[in-house]
Amino acid sequence: MTDLGDLDIFSRVVATGSMSAAGRTLGLSPAVVSKRIKRLEERLGTRLLQRTTRQISLTEAGQGFHERIVAILAGIEDAEAFVSGRASAMKGSLRISAPTSFGRMHIAPHLNGFMEANPELVVNLVLTDDFSDIVGEGFDLAIRIGELQDSSLVARRLAPVRRVLAAAPSYLERHGAPQSIGDLAGHVCIPPHSQDAWRLEGPDGTVIYRPQGMLVTNSSEVVREAVIAGMGIALRSTWDIGAELSDGRLVQVLPQYEGSRNVVLSAIYASRQFLPAKVRVFIDYLAELYGPTPYWEHAL
């Protein structure tokens, strides 16, 4: 029978992306981690990991094996926490994927309190605007902003997301404020991608407007800085520009129109019977932190 310790080591290597990082979380040297992985592969008669000088990736067999052992390890972790009565004292590693801007602004500043309450838990926060393959890339959970889609994954809503049209006072002084959706054709609009349409909810229902602008970028943060600098009008989330709306650096335009109300902030995790305690505790932490009316809305 395979040693459960080998399964844990394999899971940590997948979660951290390297043998040295996995070894640090377990108090083992990279050489010992490598030896244990090799022993596991020999026991199973197949290669689980592809190793290069730069990275480690799962083979097809390794991905399928990892998907099946995650629930086993999670169940053991929950069982041990239940028996010991220490469910609040998390151990191991927690690998999280989150959007770049949101993670920087609304997750990273609040990690200290969570980590102080769970000093034996290593948090690996990966910021990316791509939708990560949670299982394949070894994430325990992902924080996502968007409309919830049918999926084999489980989603827990954390907070509403409100998006508004905004511009800097300097831009409005030069060009005036639009009074209708039709007026936007005479303004400089800054979409995150040149092909992206704005889906707006207004007095007469849903309006689809496809903005055209001189700035084309795939970076949401570039759009944010451009609208603050007075380059044009943008559709932005209040979590992103709440401070600027509050202090007057940005002004809401066409306030009767807002982005689709179906967009929400969610925690996404693999669908399995036993949710690891460390994942549940972190999701609960964020849900309490944000609440039904997130703190970034309080000053608006």
mmCIF file with all atom_site columns, all heavy atoms in Angstrom, residues 46-71:
data_model
loop_
_atom_site.group_PDB
_atom_site.id
_atom_site.type_symbol
_atom_site.label_atom_id
_atom_site.label_alt_id
_atom_site.label_comp_id
_atom_site.label_asym_id
_atom_site.label_entity_id
_atom_site.label_seq_id
_atom_site.pdbx_PDB_ins_code
_atom_site.Cartn_x
_atom_site.Cartn_y
_atom_site.Cartn_z
_atom_site.occupancy
_atom_site.B_iso_or_equiv
_atom_site.pdbx_formal_charge
_atom_site.auth_seq_id
_atom_site.auth_comp_id
_atom_site.auth_asym_id
_atom_site.auth_atom_id
_atom_site.pdbx_PDB_model_num
ATOM 1   N N   . THR A 1 46 ? 4.444   4.436  -12.965 1.00 0.00 ? 46 THR A N   1
ATOM 2   C CA  . THR A 1 46 ? 4.226   5.476  -13.972 1.00 0.00 ? 46 THR A CA  1
ATOM 3   C C   . THR A 1 46 ? 4.829   6.793  -13.507 1.00 0.00 ? 46 THR A C   1
ATOM 4   O O   . THR A 1 46 ? 5.013   7.008  -12.301 1.00 0.00 ? 46 THR A O   1
ATOM 5   C CB  . THR A 1 46 ? 2.716   5.678  -14.252 1.00 0.00 ? 46 THR A CB  1
ATOM 6   O OG1 . THR A 1 46 ? 2.546   6.563  -15.359 1.00 0.00 ? 46 THR A OG1 1
ATOM 7   C CG2 . THR A 1 46 ? 2.002   6.275  -13.043 1.00 0.00 ? 46 THR A CG2 1
ATOM 8   N N   . ARG A 1 47 ? 5.146   7.636  -14.453 1.00 0.00 ? 47 ARG A N   1
ATOM 9   C CA  . ARG A 1 47 ? 5.674   8.958  -14.108 1.00 0.00 ? 47 ARG A CA  1
ATOM 10  C C   . ARG A 1 47 ? 4.517   9.905  -13.819 1.00 0.00 ? 47 ARG A C   1
ATOM 11  O O   . ARG A 1 47 ? 3.574   10.016 -14.603 1.00 0.00 ? 47 ARG A O   1
ATOM 12  C CB  . ARG A 1 47 ? 6.524   9.506  -15.258 1.00 0.00 ? 47 ARG A CB  1
ATOM 13  C CG  . ARG A 1 47 ? 7.160   10.873 -14.957 1.00 0.00 ? 47 ARG A CG  1
ATOM 14  C CD  . ARG A 1 47 ? 8.055   11.324 -16.098 1.00 0.00 ? 47 ARG A CD  1
ATOM 15  N NE  . ARG A 1 47 ? 9.243   10.507 -16.167 1.00 0.00 ? 47 ARG A NE  1
ATOM 16  C CZ  . ARG A 1 47 ? 10.338  10.690 -15.435 1.00 0.00 ? 47 ARG A CZ  1
ATOM 17  N NH1 . ARG A 1 47 ? 10.364  11.685 -14.548 1.00 0.00 ? 47 ARG A NH1 1
ATOM 18  N NH2 . ARG A 1 47 ? 11.383  9.912  -15.573 1.00 0.00 ? 47 ARG A NH2 1
ATOM 19  N N   . LEU A 1 48 ? 4.597   10.612 -12.686 1.00 0.00 ? 48 LEU A N   1
ATOM 20  C CA  . LEU A 1 48 ? 3.557   11.548 -12.278 1.00 0.00 ? 48 LEU A CA  1
ATOM 21  C C   . LEU A 1 48 ? 3.906   12.988 -12.611 1.00 0.00 ? 48 LEU A C   1
ATOM 22  O O   . LEU A 1 48 ? 3.023   13.803 -12.847 1.00 0.00 ? 48 LEU A O   1
ATOM 23  C CB  . LEU A 1 48 ? 3.308   11.436 -10.765 1.00 0.00 ? 48 LEU A CB  1
ATOM 24  C CG  . LEU A 1 48 ? 2.857   10.069 -10.258 1.00 0.00 ? 48 LEU A CG  1
ATOM 25  C CD1 . LEU A 1 48 ? 2.809   10.074 -8.735  1.00 0.00 ? 48 LEU A CD1 1
ATOM 26  C CD2 . LEU A 1 48 ? 1.508   9.691  -10.838 1.00 0.00 ? 48 LEU A CD2 1
ATOM 27  N N   . LEU A 1 49 ? 5.205   13.304 -12.615 1.00 0.00 ? 49 LEU A N   1
ATOM 28  C CA  . LEU A 1 49 ? 5.653   14.681 -12.819 1.00 0.00 ? 49 LEU A CA  1
ATOM 29  C C   . LEU A 1 49 ? 6.661   14.748 -13.949 1.00 0.00 ? 49 LEU A C   1
ATOM 30  O O   . LEU A 1 49 ? 7.522   13.871 -14.087 1.00 0.00 ? 49 LEU A O   1
ATOM 31  C CB  . LEU A 1 49 ? 6.297   15.225 -11.539 1.00 0.00 ? 49 LEU A CB  1
ATOM 32  C CG  . LEU A 1 49 ? 5.420   15.304 -10.289 1.00 0.00 ? 49 LEU A CG  1
ATOM 33  C CD1 . LEU A 1 49 ? 6.279   15.670 -9.081  1.00 0.00 ? 49 LEU A CD1 1
ATOM 34  C CD2 . LEU A 1 49 ? 4.309   16.322 -10.480 1.00 0.00 ? 49 LEU A CD2 1
ATOM 35  N N   . GLN A 1 50 ? 6.550   15.814 -14.753 1.00 0.00 ? 50 GLN A N   1
ATOM 36  C CA  . GLN A 1 50 ? 7.564   16.137 -15.745 1.00 0.00 ? 50 GLN A CA  1
ATOM 37  C C   . GLN A 1 50 ? 8.481   17.177 -15.127 1.00 0.00 ? 50 GLN A C   1
ATOM 38  O O   . GLN A 1 50 ? 8.018   18.226 -14.702 1.00 0.00 ? 50 GLN A O   1
ATOM 39  C CB  . GLN A 1 50 ? 6.926   16.694 -17.026 1.00 0.00 ? 50 GLN A CB  1
ATOM 40  C CG  . GLN A 1 50 ? 6.080   15.694 -17.786 1.00 0.00 ? 50 GLN A CG  1
ATOM 41  C CD  . GLN A 1 50 ? 6.912   14.657 -18.537 1.00 0.00 ? 50 GLN A CD  1
ATOM 42  O OE1 . GLN A 1 50 ? 8.136   14.601 -18.380 1.00 0.00 ? 50 GLN A OE1 1
ATOM 43  N NE2 . GLN A 1 50 ? 6.264   13.842 -19.338 1.00 0.00 ? 50 GLN A NE2 1
ATOM 44  N N   . ARG A 1 51 ? 9.769   16.883 -15.057 1.00 0.00 ? 51 ARG A N   1
ATOM 45  C CA  . ARG A 1 51 ? 10.703  17.787 -14.408 1.00 0.00 ? 51 ARG A CA  1
ATOM 46  C C   . ARG A 1 51 ? 11.600  18.442 -15.446 1.00 0.00 ? 51 ARG A C   1
ATOM 47  O O   . ARG A 1 51 ? 12.178  17.763 -16.289 1.00 0.00 ? 51 ARG A O   1
ATOM 48  C CB  . ARG A 1 51 ? 11.562  17.024 -13.401 1.00 0.00 ? 51 ARG A CB  1
ATOM 49  C CG  . ARG A 1 51 ? 10.763  16.237 -12.355 1.00 0.00 ? 51 ARG A CG  1
ATOM 50  C CD  . ARG A 1 51 ? 11.660  15.185 -11.683 1.00 0.00 ? 51 ARG A CD  1
ATOM 51  N NE  . ARG A 1 51 ? 11.002  14.428 -10.646 1.00 0.00 ? 51 ARG A NE  1
ATOM 52  C CZ  . ARG A 1 51 ? 10.232  13.365 -10.860 1.00 0.00 ? 51 ARG A CZ  1
ATOM 53  N NH1 . ARG A 1 51 ? 9.999   12.960 -12.119 1.00 0.00 ? 51 ARG A NH1 1
ATOM 54  N NH2 . ARG A 1 51 ? 9.685   12.708 -9.858  1.00 0.00 ? 51 ARG A NH2 1
ATOM 55  N N   . THR A 1 52 ? 11.686  19.763 -15.405 1.00 0.00 ? 52 THR A N   1
ATOM 56  C CA  . THR A 1 52 ? 12.649  20.508 -16.222 1.00 0.00 ? 52 THR A CA  1
ATOM 57  C C   . THR A 1 52 ? 13.458  21.383 -15.278 1.00 0.00 ? 52 THR A C   1
ATOM 58  O O   . THR A 1 52 ? 13.206  21.434 -14.075 1.00 0.00 ? 52 THR A O   1
ATOM 59  C CB  . THR A 1 52 ? 11.942  21.391 -17.268 1.00 0.00 ? 52 THR A CB  1
ATOM 60  O OG1 . THR A 1 52 ? 11.227  22.444 -16.585 1.00 0.00 ? 52 THR A OG1 1
ATOM 61  C CG2 . THR A 1 52 ? 10.951  20.577 -18.095 1.00 0.00 ? 52 THR A CG2 1
ATOM 62  N N   . THR A 1 53 ? 14.436  22.083 -15.823 1.00 0.00 ? 53 THR A N   1
ATOM 63  C CA  . THR A 1 53 ? 15.262  22.948 -14.979 1.00 0.00 ? 53 THR A CA  1
ATOM 64  C C   . THR A 1 53 ? 14.473  24.131 -14.440 1.00 0.00 ? 53 THR A C   1
ATOM 65  O O   . THR A 1 53 ? 14.847  24.733 -13.434 1.00 0.00 ? 53 THR A O   1
ATOM 66  C CB  . THR A 1 53 ? 16.470  23.472 -15.774 1.00 0.00 ? 53 THR A CB  1
ATOM 67  O OG1 . THR A 1 53 ? 15.999  24.135 -16.957 1.00 0.00 ? 53 THR A OG1 1
ATOM 68  C CG2 . THR A 1 53 ? 17.393  22.333 -16.158 1.00 0.00 ? 53 THR A CG2 1
ATOM 69  N N   . ARG A 1 54 ? 13.359  24.486 -15.101 1.00 0.00 ? 54 ARG A N   1
ATOM 70  C CA  . ARG A 1 54 ? 12.600  25.673 -14.702 1.00 0.00 ? 54 ARG A CA  1
ATOM 71  C C   . ARG A 1 54 ? 11.317  25.362 -13.943 1.00 0.00 ? 54 ARG A C   1
ATOM 72  O O   . ARG A 1 54 ? 10.871  26.151 -13.133 1.00 0.00 ? 54 ARG A O   1
ATOM 73  C CB  . ARG A 1 54 ? 12.267  26.517 -15.930 1.00 0.00 ? 54 ARG A CB  1
ATOM 74  C CG  . ARG A 1 54 ? 13.477  27.169 -16.561 1.00 0.00 ? 54 ARG A CG  1
ATOM 75  C CD  . ARG A 1 54 ? 13.055  28.170 -17.616 1.00 0.00 ? 54 ARG A CD  1
ATOM 76  N NE  . ARG A 1 54 ? 14.187  28.917 -18.150 1.00 0.00 ? 54 ARG A NE  1
ATOM 77  C CZ  . ARG A 1 54 ? 14.075  29.919 -19.013 1.00 0.00 ? 54 ARG A CZ  1
ATOM 78  N NH1 . ARG A 1 54 ? 12.874  30.283 -19.453 1.00 0.00 ? 54 ARG A NH1 1
ATOM 79  N NH2 . ARG A 1 54 ? 15.149  30.544 -19.455 1.00 0.00 ? 54 ARG A NH2 1
ATOM 80  N N   . GLN A 1 55 ? 10.683  24.240 -14.254 1.00 0.00 ? 55 GLN A N   1
ATOM 81  C CA  . GLN A 1 55 ? 9.389   24.011 -13.635 1.00 0.00 ? 55 GLN A CA  1
ATOM 82  C C   . GLN A 1 55 ? 9.068   22.530 -13.551 1.00 0.00 ? 55 GLN A C   1
ATOM 83  O O   . GLN A 1 55 ? 9.736   21.685 -14.150 1.00 0.00 ? 55 GLN A O   1
ATOM 84  C CB  . GLN A 1 55 ? 8.286   24.718 -14.425 1.00 0.00 ? 55 GLN A CB  1
ATOM 85  C CG  . GLN A 1 55 ? 8.103   24.172 -15.836 1.00 0.00 ? 55 GLN A CG  1
ATOM 86  C CD  . GLN A 1 55 ? 6.989   24.886 -16.586 1.00 0.00 ? 55 GLN A CD  1
ATOM 87  O OE1 . GLN A 1 55 ? 6.426   25.850 -16.103 1.00 0.00 ? 55 GLN A OE1 1
ATOM 88  N NE2 . GLN A 1 55 ? 6.667   24.400 -17.775 1.00 0.00 ? 55 GLN A NE2 1
ATOM 89  N N   . ILE A 1 56 ? 8.043   22.254 -12.768 1.00 0.00 ? 56 ILE A N   1
ATOM 90  C CA  . ILE A 1 56 ? 7.514   20.905 -12.631 1.00 0.00 ? 56 ILE A CA  1
ATOM 91  C C   . ILE A 1 56 ? 6.055   20.938 -13.077 1.00 0.00 ? 56 ILE A C   1
ATOM 92  O O   . ILE A 1 56 ? 5.301   21.836 -12.689 1.00 0.00 ? 56 ILE A O   1
ATOM 93  C CB  . ILE A 1 56 ? 7.624   20.419 -11.174 1.00 0.00 ? 56 ILE A CB  1
ATOM 94  C CG1 . ILE A 1 56 ? 9.085   20.195 -10.809 1.00 0.00 ? 56 ILE A CG1 1
ATOM 95  C CG2 . ILE A 1 56 ? 6.823   19.139 -10.961 1.00 0.00 ? 56 ILE A CG2 1
ATOM 96  C CD1 . ILE A 1 56 ? 9.297   19.797 -9.365  1.00 0.00 ? 56 ILE A CD1 1
ATOM 97  N N   . SER A 1 57 ? 5.659   19.984 -13.899 1.00 0.00 ? 57 SER A N   1
ATOM 98  C CA  . SER A 1 57 ? 4.273   19.929 -14.351 1.00 0.00 ? 57 SER A CA  1
ATOM 99  C C   . SER A 1 57 ? 3.769   18.501 -14.237 1.00 0.00 ? 57 SER A C   1
ATOM 100 O O   . SER A 1 57 ? 4.548   17.543 -14.183 1.00 0.00 ? 57 SER A O   1
ATOM 101 C CB  . SER A 1 57 ? 4.159   20.420 -15.800 1.00 0.00 ? 57 SER A CB  1
ATOM 102 O OG  . SER A 1 57 ? 4.945   19.607 -16.665 1.00 0.00 ? 57 SER A OG  1
ATOM 103 N N   . LEU A 1 58 ? 2.458   18.374 -14.173 1.00 0.00 ? 58 LEU A N   1
ATOM 104 C CA  . LEU A 1 58 ? 1.842   17.059 -14.065 1.00 0.00 ? 58 LEU A CA  1
ATOM 105 C C   . LEU A 1 58 ? 1.788   16.362 -15.414 1.00 0.00 ? 58 LEU A C   1
ATOM 106 O O   . LEU A 1 58 ? 1.488   16.980 -16.440 1.00 0.00 ? 58 LEU A O   1
ATOM 107 C CB  . LEU A 1 58 ? 0.426   17.196 -13.520 1.00 0.00 ? 58 LEU A CB  1
ATOM 108 C CG  . LEU A 1 58 ? 0.274   17.551 -12.038 1.00 0.00 ? 58 LEU A CG  1
ATOM 109 C CD1 . LEU A 1 58 ? -1.151  18.006 -11.759 1.00 0.00 ? 58 LEU A CD1 1
ATOM 110 C CD2 . LEU A 1 58 ? 0.625   16.363 -11.166 1.00 0.00 ? 58 LEU A CD2 1
ATOM 111 N N   . THR A 1 59 ? 2.063   15.068 -15.429 1.00 0.00 ? 59 THR A N   1
ATOM 112 C CA  . THR A 1 59 ? 1.780   14.262 -16.598 1.00 0.00 ? 59 THR A CA  1
ATOM 113 C C   . THR A 1 59 ? 0.275   13.991 -16.628 1.00 0.00 ? 59 THR A C   1
ATOM 114 O O   . THR A 1 59 ? -0.453  14.315 -15.680 1.00 0.00 ? 59 THR A O   1
ATOM 115 C CB  . THR A 1 59 ? 2.530   12.920 -16.546 1.00 0.00 ? 59 THR A CB  1
ATOM 116 O OG1 . THR A 1 59 ? 2.063   12.181 -15.405 1.00 0.00 ? 59 THR A OG1 1
ATOM 117 C CG2 . THR A 1 59 ? 4.039   13.139 -16.414 1.00 0.00 ? 59 THR A CG2 1
ATOM 118 N N   . GLU A 1 60 ? -0.200  13.380 -17.690 1.00 0.00 ? 60 GLU A N   1
ATOM 119 C CA  . GLU A 1 60 ? -1.625  13.045 -17.753 1.00 0.00 ? 60 GLU A CA  1
ATOM 120 C C   . GLU A 1 60 ? -2.004  12.102 -16.617 1.00 0.00 ? 60 GLU A C   1
ATOM 121 O O   . GLU A 1 60 ? -3.033  12.276 -15.948 1.00 0.00 ? 60 GLU A O   1
ATOM 122 C CB  . GLU A 1 60 ? -1.954  12.410 -19.102 1.00 0.00 ? 60 GLU A CB  1
ATOM 123 C CG  . GLU A 1 60 ? -3.444  12.097 -19.272 1.00 0.00 ? 60 GLU A CG  1
ATOM 124 C CD  . GLU A 1 60 ? -3.760  11.519 -20.648 1.00 0.00 ? 60 GLU A CD  1
ATOM 125 O OE1 . GLU A 1 60 ? -2.855  11.484 -21.496 1.00 0.00 ? 60 GLU A OE1 1
ATOM 126 O OE2 . GLU A 1 60 ? -4.922  11.102 -20.852 1.00 0.00 ? 60 GLU A OE2 1
ATOM 127 N N   . ALA A 1 61 ? -1.146  11.111 -16.366 1.00 0.00 ? 61 ALA A N   1
ATOM 128 C CA  . ALA A 1 61 ? -1.401  10.185 -15.257 1.00 0.00 ? 61 ALA A CA  1
ATOM 129 C C   . ALA A 1 61 ? -1.324  10.919 -13.924 1.00 0.00 ? 61 ALA A C   1
ATOM 130 O O   . ALA A 1 61 ? -2.122  10.671 -13.012 1.00 0.00 ? 61 ALA A O   1
ATOM 131 C CB  . ALA A 1 61 ? -0.396  9.036  -15.293 1.00 0.00 ? 61 ALA A CB  1
ATOM 132 N N   . GLY A 1 62 ? -0.362  11.850 -13.816 1.00 0.00 ? 62 GLY A N   1
ATOM 133 C CA  . GLY A 1 62 ? -0.205  12.599 -12.578 1.00 0.00 ? 62 GLY A CA  1
ATOM 134 C C   . GLY A 1 62 ? -1.404  13.471 -12.279 1.00 0.00 ? 62 GLY A C   1
ATOM 135 O O   . GLY A 1 62 ? -1.820  13.593 -11.116 1.00 0.00 ? 62 GLY A O   1
ATOM 136 N N   . GLN A 1 63 ? -1.982  14.075 -13.316 1.00 0.00 ? 63 GLN A N   1
ATOM 137 C CA  . GLN A 1 63 ? -3.157  14.926 -13.107 1.00 0.00 ? 63 GLN A CA  1
ATOM 138 C C   . GLN A 1 63 ? -4.330  14.100 -12.621 1.00 0.00 ? 63 GLN A C   1
ATOM 139 O O   . GLN A 1 63 ? -5.032  14.475 -11.670 1.00 0.00 ? 63 GLN A O   1
ATOM 140 C CB  . GLN A 1 63 ? -3.515  15.650 -14.396 1.00 0.00 ? 63 GLN A CB  1
ATOM 141 C CG  . GLN A 1 63 ? -4.731  16.571 -14.241 1.00 0.00 ? 63 GLN A CG  1
ATOM 142 C CD  . GLN A 1 63 ? -4.922  17.491 -15.440 1.00 0.00 ? 63 GLN A CD  1
ATOM 143 O OE1 . GLN A 1 63 ? -3.990  17.794 -16.160 1.00 0.00 ? 63 GLN A OE1 1
ATOM 144 N NE2 . GLN A 1 63 ? -6.150  17.943 -15.638 1.00 0.00 ? 63 GLN A NE2 1
ATOM 145 N N   . GLY A 1 64 ? -4.570  12.970 -13.258 1.00 0.00 ? 64 GLY A N   1
ATOM 146 C CA  . GLY A 1 64 ? -5.664  12.110 -12.837 1.00 0.00 ? 64 GLY A CA  1
ATOM 147 C C   . GLY A 1 64 ? -5.459  11.580 -11.429 1.00 0.00 ? 64 GLY A C   1
ATOM 148 O O   . GLY A 1 64 ? -6.408  11.490 -10.629 1.00 0.00 ? 64 GLY A O   1
ATOM 149 N N   . PHE A 1 65 ? -4.220  11.243 -11.095 1.00 0.00 ? 65 PHE A N   1
ATOM 150 C CA  . PHE A 1 65 ? -3.902  10.746 -9.751  1.00 0.00 ? 65 PHE A CA  1
ATOM 151 C C   . PHE A 1 65 ? -4.122  11.848 -8.719  1.00 0.00 ? 65 PHE A C   1
ATOM 152 O O   . PHE A 1 65 ? -4.706  11.610 -7.652  1.00 0.00 ? 65 PHE A O   1
ATOM 153 C CB  . PHE A 1 65 ? -2.448  10.266 -9.729  1.00 0.00 ? 65 PHE A CB  1
ATOM 154 C CG  . PHE A 1 65 ? -2.021  9.635  -8.431  1.00 0.00 ? 65 PHE A CG  1
ATOM 155 C CD1 . PHE A 1 65 ? -2.556  8.420  -8.020  1.00 0.00 ? 65 PHE A CD1 1
ATOM 156 C CD2 . PHE A 1 65 ? -1.081  10.252 -7.620  1.00 0.00 ? 65 PHE A CD2 1
ATOM 157 C CE1 . PHE A 1 65 ? -2.159  7.832  -6.823  1.00 0.00 ? 65 PHE A CE1 1
ATOM 158 C CE2 . PHE A 1 65 ? -0.682  9.686  -6.424  1.00 0.00 ? 65 PHE A CE2 1
ATOM 159 C CZ  . PHE A 1 65 ? -1.222  8.462  -6.024  1.00 0.00 ? 65 PHE A CZ  1
ATOM 160 N N   . HIS A 1 66 ? -3.672  13.062 -9.049  1.00 0.00 ? 66 HIS A N   1
ATOM 161 C CA  . HIS A 1 66 ? -3.826  14.180 -8.114  1.00 0.00 ? 66 HIS A CA  1
ATOM 162 C C   . HIS A 1 66 ? -5.291  14.485 -7.851  1.00 0.00 ? 66 HIS A C   1
ATOM 163 O O   . HIS A 1 66 ? -5.695  14.736 -6.705  1.00 0.00 ? 66 HIS A O   1
ATOM 164 C CB  . HIS A 1 66 ? -3.124  15.419 -8.677  1.00 0.00 ? 66 HIS A CB  1
ATOM 165 C CG  . HIS A 1 66 ? -3.194  16.611 -7.782  1.00 0.00 ? 66 HIS A CG  1
ATOM 166 N ND1 . HIS A 1 66 ? -4.078  17.657 -7.994  1.00 0.00 ? 66 HIS A ND1 1
ATOM 167 C CD2 . HIS A 1 66 ? -2.529  16.917 -6.637  1.00 0.00 ? 66 HIS A CD2 1
ATOM 168 C CE1 . HIS A 1 66 ? -3.932  18.551 -7.045  1.00 0.00 ? 66 HIS A CE1 1
ATOM 169 N NE2 . HIS A 1 66 ? -3.007  18.142 -6.211  1.00 0.00 ? 66 HIS A NE2 1
ATOM 170 N N   . GLU A 1 67 ? -6.113  14.460 -8.886  1.00 0.00 ? 67 GLU A N   1
ATOM 171 C CA  . GLU A 1 67 ? -7.543  14.733 -8.714  1.00 0.00 ? 67 GLU A CA  1
ATOM 172 C C   . GLU A 1 67 ? -8.184  13.751 -7.736  1.00 0.00 ? 67 GLU A C   1
ATOM 173 O O   . GLU A 1 67 ? -9.086  14.116 -6.981  1.00 0.00 ? 67 GLU A O   1
ATOM 174 C CB  . GLU A 1 67 ? -8.259  14.649 -10.067 1.00 0.00 ? 67 GLU A CB  1
ATOM 175 C CG  . GLU A 1 67 ? -7.893  15.784 -11.017 1.00 0.00 ? 67 GLU A CG  1
ATOM 176 C CD  . GLU A 1 67 ? -8.503  15.581 -12.396 1.00 0.00 ? 67 GLU A CD  1
ATOM 177 O OE1 . GLU A 1 67 ? -9.230  14.564 -12.583 1.00 0.00 ? 67 GLU A OE1 1
ATOM 178 O OE2 . GLU A 1 67 ? -8.258  16.418 -13.285 1.00 0.00 ? 67 GLU A OE2 1
ATOM 179 N N   . ARG A 1 68 ? -7.683  12.521 -7.737  1.00 0.00 ? 68 ARG A N   1
ATOM 180 C CA  . ARG A 1 68 ? -8.300  11.485 -6.904  1.00 0.00 ? 68 ARG A CA  1
ATOM 181 C C   . ARG A 1 68 ? -7.786  11.480 -5.467  1.00 0.00 ? 68 ARG A C   1
ATOM 182 O O   . ARG A 1 68 ? -8.502  11.055 -4.558  1.00 0.00 ? 68 ARG A O   1
ATOM 183 C CB  . ARG A 1 68 ? -8.098  10.116 -7.563  1.00 0.00 ? 68 ARG A CB  1
ATOM 184 C CG  . ARG A 1 68 ? -8.985  9.946  -8.796  1.00 0.00 ? 68 ARG A CG  1
ATOM 185 C CD  . ARG A 1 68 ? -8.487  8.882  -9.744  1.00 0.00 ? 68 ARG A CD  1
ATOM 186 N NE  . ARG A 1 68 ? -9.413  8.705  -10.873 1.00 0.00 ? 68 ARG A NE  1
ATOM 187 C CZ  . ARG A 1 68 ? -9.489  9.505  -11.914 1.00 0.00 ? 68 ARG A CZ  1
ATOM 188 N NH1 . ARG A 1 68 ? -8.688  10.561 -12.012 1.00 0.00 ? 68 ARG A NH1 1
ATOM 189 N NH2 . ARG A 1 68 ? -10.363 9.286  -12.872 1.00 0.00 ? 68 ARG A NH2 1
ATOM 190 N N   . ILE A 1 69 ? -6.559  11.939 -5.251  1.00 0.00 ? 69 ILE A N   1
ATOM 191 C CA  . ILE A 1 69 ? -6.038  11.903 -3.884  1.00 0.00 ? 69 ILE A CA  1
ATOM 192 C C   . ILE A 1 69 ? -6.358  13.164 -3.093  1.00 0.00 ? 69 ILE A C   1
ATOM 193 O O   . ILE A 1 69 ? -6.274  13.152 -1.867  1.00 0.00 ? 69 ILE A O   1
ATOM 194 C CB  . ILE A 1 69 ? -4.511  11.667 -3.858  1.00 0.00 ? 69 ILE A CB  1
ATOM 195 C CG1 . ILE A 1 69 ? -3.761  12.878 -4.423  1.00 0.00 ? 69 ILE A CG1 1
ATOM 196 C CG2 . ILE A 1 69 ? -4.141  10.388 -4.587  1.00 0.00 ? 69 ILE A CG2 1
ATOM 197 C CD1 . ILE A 1 69 ? -2.284  12.848 -4.140  1.00 0.00 ? 69 ILE A CD1 1
ATOM 198 N N   . VAL A 1 70 ? -6.736  14.252 -3.785  1.00 0.00 ? 70 VAL A N   1
ATOM 199 C CA  . VAL A 1 70 ? -7.035  15.498 -3.077  1.00 0.00 ? 70 VAL A CA  1
ATOM 200 C C   . VAL A 1 70 ? -8.157  15.289 -2.069  1.00 0.00 ? 70 VAL A C   1
ATOM 201 O O   . VAL A 1 70 ? -8.082  15.711 -0.915  1.00 0.00 ? 70 VAL A O   1
ATOM 202 C CB  . VAL A 1 70 ? -7.396  16.615 -4.076  1.00 0.00 ? 70 VAL A CB  1
ATOM 203 C CG1 . VAL A 1 70 ? -8.051  17.782 -3.362  1.00 0.00 ? 70 VAL A CG1 1
ATOM 204 C CG2 . VAL A 1 70 ? -6.147  17.101 -4.797  1.00 0.00 ? 70 VAL A CG2 1
ATOM 205 N N   . ALA A 1 71 ? -9.227  14.614 -2.485  1.00 0.00 ? 71 ALA A N   1
ATOM 206 C CA  . ALA A 1 71 ? -10.354 14.382 -1.580  1.00 0.00 ? 71 ALA A CA  1
ATOM 207 C C   . ALA A 1 71 ? -9.948  13.475 -0.429  1.00 0.00 ? 71 ALA A C   1
ATOM 208 O O   . ALA A 1 71 ? -10.406 13.653 0.710   1.00 0.00 ? 71 ALA A O   1
ATOM 209 C CB  . ALA A 1 71 ? -11.524 13.771 -2.352  1.00 0.00 ? 71 ALA A CB  1
#
